[in-house]
């Protein structure tokens, strides 16, 4: 395969008295992956800054003794995204055999109108320095409007399109929110110091338009429609059947159909009973994908970190935390852990319904039933909050005294031990709230379904300077 990316760009910077700043940039990009007459795009932006603390009127204020630096800034820019496979816009064919006869068969349906995905982003903020810049505060508000959103658009299976999807520019969305970063020297002594920093981002993602076939793009994982992209929701919102616990009378799981009515299910039923029925016992239609509803946003609404570095003499120590939340994860493991096949089972089966009057969220266990618990893994009962706090990194080091190094012709030597992914604090009951069977696919986030969690790594090493 072959792919080409060609750019022409220029930038103009203006600085007046170290107080007023202006930058203007422009670029024209060409991408061979896009459609024949859609390969080129024009992008650029403008940014401005004002160092308010350098103004004479500010220096005369009493607050200047505390606020030692203050800069106001704002920017607007348009960027393009065309990170695609080399021949995304073309129909592709592959060779094969039909019996002994050579054949050519289509293996990708192209889109000759595939163009740039563009993002128009506005940023407004300030940089603040306190106490002789010992404490730094950065604040930004951002609003990014994405147009020509590039996604794989599902197609009807009857069309015979490979993968039942075509890559296209399907609509628009926005990401808007705030970013805050605070850093500084908490303690500064002759032998001991403590530097700390914390950052926090709050973001809202919402799809504002879709130009695809239908108003909803459904993404499948492991043969199930786990996610949807729809106007008014975030990209890759969790999608599935809505449940309402377990019927305390008979232990059957209760679902909510598209009409809002409660429907119960059991694999094995008695005389006069139906596998699918309303709570009064009358026959009901089976729950299918047509009854599925949005189950929660899978993209975090807030995230950040808290980092600390300590030094005492020749010793140094670091401890770093990461946090995230405001999103939901579909814990598909729960279904397989309750499955009545030859899978691993969880102690959660001990909470199953056993007799009339039991109040529980685990339906009665029926031999051979892989439907009430597992075969519809994307049900609201398995959706959990993905909030977590992780001890991401822990490190301790010691710098050997210089008197010991001269004999070995070394200028410096430091030994250290480090651990990553040390501990996880979360109410999520699955393996890992950040794990996903789909990796970083932007239309299918938040699905943990027999996934592996992040590994813990311990490293011991030495740094030598010659």
């Amino acid at each position: 395969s072959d792919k080409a990316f060609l750019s022409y760009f220029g930038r103009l910077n203006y600085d007046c008295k170290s107080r007023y700043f202006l930058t203007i940039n422009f670029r024209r990009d060409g991408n061979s992956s896009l459609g024949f007459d859609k390969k080129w795009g024009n992008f650029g932006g403008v940014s401005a800054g004002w160092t308010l603390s350098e103004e004479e009127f500010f220096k005369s204020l009493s607050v200047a003794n505390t606020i030692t630096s203050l800069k106001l800034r704002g920017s607007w820019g348009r960027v393009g995204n065309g990170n695609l496979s080399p021949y995304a816009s073309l129909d592709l064919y592959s060779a094969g055999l039909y019996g002994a006869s050579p054949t050519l068969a289509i293996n990708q349906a192209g889109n000759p109108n595939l163009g740039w995905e563009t993002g128009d982003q506005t940023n407004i903020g300030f940089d603040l320095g306190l106490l002789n810049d010992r404490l730094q505060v950065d604040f930004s508000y951002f609003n990014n409007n994405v147009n020509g959103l590039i996604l794989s658009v599902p197609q009807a299976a009857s069309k015979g399109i490979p993968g039942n999807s075509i890559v296209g520019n399907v609509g628009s969305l926005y990401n808007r929110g705030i970013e805050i970063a605070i850093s500084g020297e908490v303690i500064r002594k002759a032998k001991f110091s403590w530097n700390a920093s914390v950052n926090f981002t709050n973001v809202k993602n919402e799809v504002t338009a879709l130009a695809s076939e239908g108003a909803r793009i459904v993404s499948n994982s492991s043969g199930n429609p786990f996610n949807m992209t729809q106007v008014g929701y975030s990209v890759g919102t969790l999608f599935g059947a809505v449940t309402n616990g377990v019927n305390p009378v008979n232990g059957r799981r209760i679902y909510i159909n598209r009409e809002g009515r409660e429907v119960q299910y059991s694999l094995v039923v008695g005389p006069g009973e139906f596998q699918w029925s309303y709570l009064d016992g009358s026959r009901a239609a089976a729950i299918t994908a047509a009854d599925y509803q949005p189950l929660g946003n899978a993209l975090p609404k807030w995230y950040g970190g808290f980092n600390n570095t300590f030094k005492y003499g020749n010793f140094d120590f670091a401890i770093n935390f990461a946090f995230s939340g405001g999103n939901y994860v579909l814990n598909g493991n729960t279904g397989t852990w309750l499955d009545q096949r030859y899978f691993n089972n969880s102690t959660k089966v001990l909470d199953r319904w056993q007799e009339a009057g039991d109040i529980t969220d685990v339906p009665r266990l029926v031999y051979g039933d892989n439907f009430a618990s597992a075969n519809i893994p994307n049900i609201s009962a398995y959706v959990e909050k993905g909030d977590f706090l992780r001890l991401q990194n822990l490190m301790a080091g010691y710098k050997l005294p210089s008197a010991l190094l001269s004999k070995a012709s070394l200028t410096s030597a430091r030994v250290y031990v480090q651990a990553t992914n040390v501990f996880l604090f979360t109410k999520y009951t699955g393996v890992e709230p950040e794990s996903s069977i789909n990796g970083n696919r932007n239309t299918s986030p938040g699905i943990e379904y027999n996934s592996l969690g992040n590994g813990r790594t311990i490293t011991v090493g030495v740094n030598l300077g010659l």
Side-chain angles (χ1 to χ4, degrees):
S1 63
D2 199 8
K3 182 178 179 178
F5 189 88
L6 181 63
S7 294
Y8 303 93
F9 56 89
R11 181 173 61 185
L12 174 67
N13 294 323
Y14 178 71
D15 175 357
C16 179
K17 300 180 180 180
S18 296
R19 300 180 192 173
Y20 315 105
F21 305 91
L22 178 67
T23 298
I24 300 174
N25 63 77
F26 174 81
R27 61 186 298 148
R28 181 167 172 80
D29 297 330
N31 187 344
S32 65
S33 300
L34 301 176
F36 181 75
D37 59 350
K38 305 284 186 178
K39 298 185 184 300
W40 289 93
N42 298 320
F43 310 102
V46 58
S47 62
W50 177 24
T51 306
L52 191 60
S53 56
E54 291 297 317
E55 299 289 354
E56 293 300 324
F57 74 85
F58 185 89
K59 294 178 179 179
S60 64
L61 300 176
S62 59
V63 73
N65 295 324
T66 303
I67 302 177
T68 49
S69 63
L70 174 60
K71 181 180 180 180
L72 307 180
R73 49 181 167 75
S75 65
W76 176 89
R78 173 173 293 173
V79 297
N81 173 35
N83 186 19
L84 299 161
S85 60
Y87 308 117
S89 65
L90 302 179
D91 294 328
L92 301 182
Y93 296 82
S94 60
L97 290 175
Y98 182 74
S101 302
T103 64
L104 282 177
I106 186 170
N107 64 12
Q108 174 182 288
N111 178 3
N113 295 315
L114 184 62
W116 285 95
E117 175 183 296
T118 61
D120 294 344
Q121 181 158 322
T122 301
N123 288 275
I124 301 173
F126 63 83
D127 302 324
L128 182 67
L130 303 171
L131 306 174
N132 291 321
D133 290 341
R134 185 171 175 178
L135 179 65
Q136 301 281 342
V137 179
D138 298 330
F139 173 86
S140 294
Y141 164 80
F142 61 89
N143 183 16
N144 185 17
N145 293 307
V146 178
N147 299 297
L149 182 65
I150 297 177
L151 292 175
S152 294
V153 183
Q155 304 292 316
S158 59
K159 293 183 177 180
I161 294 174
N164 296 324
S165 66
I166 298 178
V167 176
N169 302 100
V170 300
S172 59
L173 58 81
Y174 68 76
N175 292 293
R176 61 180 60 143
I178 60 171
E179 294 180 327
I180 303 174
I182 303 175
S183 61
E185 296 176 293
V186 182
I187 298 176
R188 182 171 54 189
K189 300 292 185 179
K191 286 189 175 182
F192 178 71
S193 66
W194 173 18
N195 291 348
S197 65
V198 60
N199 62 83
F200 173 82
T201 298
N202 177 266
V203 60
K204 181 180 180 181
N205 172 274
E206 183 175 318
V207 178
T208 55
L210 285 178
S212 60
E213 296 183 359
R216 175 184 290 169
I217 296 176
V218 176
S219 302
N220 291 288
S221 304
S222 299
N224 292 282
F226 278 113
N227 302 84
M228 65 155 212
T229 298
Q230 181 176 325
V231 173
Y233 296 88
S234 63
V235 172
T237 292
L238 298 178
F239 185 60
V242 178
T243 61
N244 191 26
V246 173
N247 190 339
V249 175
N250 52 30
R252 300 169 70 171
R253 187 181 292 283
I254 298 174
Y255 298 84
I256 308 298
N257 66 14
R258 75 196 81 172
E259 299 169 351
R261 299 187 62 183
E262 294 185 323
V263 177
Q264 58 186 353
Y265 169 82
S266 178
L267 175 68
V268 177
V269 295
E273 294 182 327
F274 306 100
Q275 276 195 339
W276 291 96
S277 65
Y278 296 109
L279 299 192
D280 62 6
S282 59
R283 185 191 296 271
I287 295 293
T288 66
D291 298 287
Y292 288 4
Q293 299 294 327
L295 302 181
N297 62 287
L299 300 179
K301 292 185 177 180
W302 47 266
Y303 52 87
F306 178 45
N307 305 320
N308 299 270
T309 302
F310 304 88
K311 290 185 178 180
Y312 180 77
N314 288 351
F315 292 92
D316 61 273
F317 181 75
I319 179 171
N320 303 324
F321 294 89
F323 58 85
S324 177
N327 62 306
Y328 293 87
V329 180
L330 199 149
N331 182 4
N333 305 308
T334 303
T336 60
W337 292 342
L338 297 175
D339 198 334
Q340 295 307 291
R341 292 179 286 181
Y342 292 109
F343 286 4
N344 290 326
N345 275 174
S346 164
T347 55
K348 191 175 178 67
V349 299
L350 300 177
D351 299 328
R352 69 193 183 279
W353 183 94
Q354 298 183 63
E355 59 183 28
D358 285 349
I359 305 299
T360 178
D361 60 348
V362 181
R364 65 177 184 172
L365 300 187
V366 177
Y367 178 75
D369 181 7
N370 66 332
F371 189 83
S373 293
N375 219 28
I376 299 186
N378 46 326
I379 62 176
S380 60
Y382 299 160
V383 173
E384 303 179 34
K385 287 187 176 181
D387 304 359
F388 71 87
L389 171 66
R390 187 190 303 276
L391 178 50
Q392 186 69 45
N393 189 68
L394 196 62
M395 183 183 67
Y398 176 70
K399 186 177 181 181
L400 274 64
S402 56
L404 298 177
L405 302 179
S406 57
K407 298 179 181 180
S409 301
L410 296 175
T411 58
S412 64
R414 175 178 172 270
V415 293
Y416 67 91
V417 58
Q418 177 176 271
T420 59
N421 190 26
V422 182
F423 199 81
L424 180 67
F425 305 88
T426 182
K427 292 184 178 180
Y428 177 69
T429 63
V431 176
E432 168 69 65
E434 285 190 298
S435 180
S436 174
I437 60 174
N438 299 306
N440 295 322
R441 280 175 53 188
N442 53 10
T443 56
S444 303
I447 308 298
E448 198 204 353
Y449 193 32
N450 299 329
S451 308
L452 293 176
N454 294 319
R456 180 179 295 115
T457 303
I458 299 176
T459 307
V460 178
V462 58
N463 304 124
L464 300 176
L466 303 177

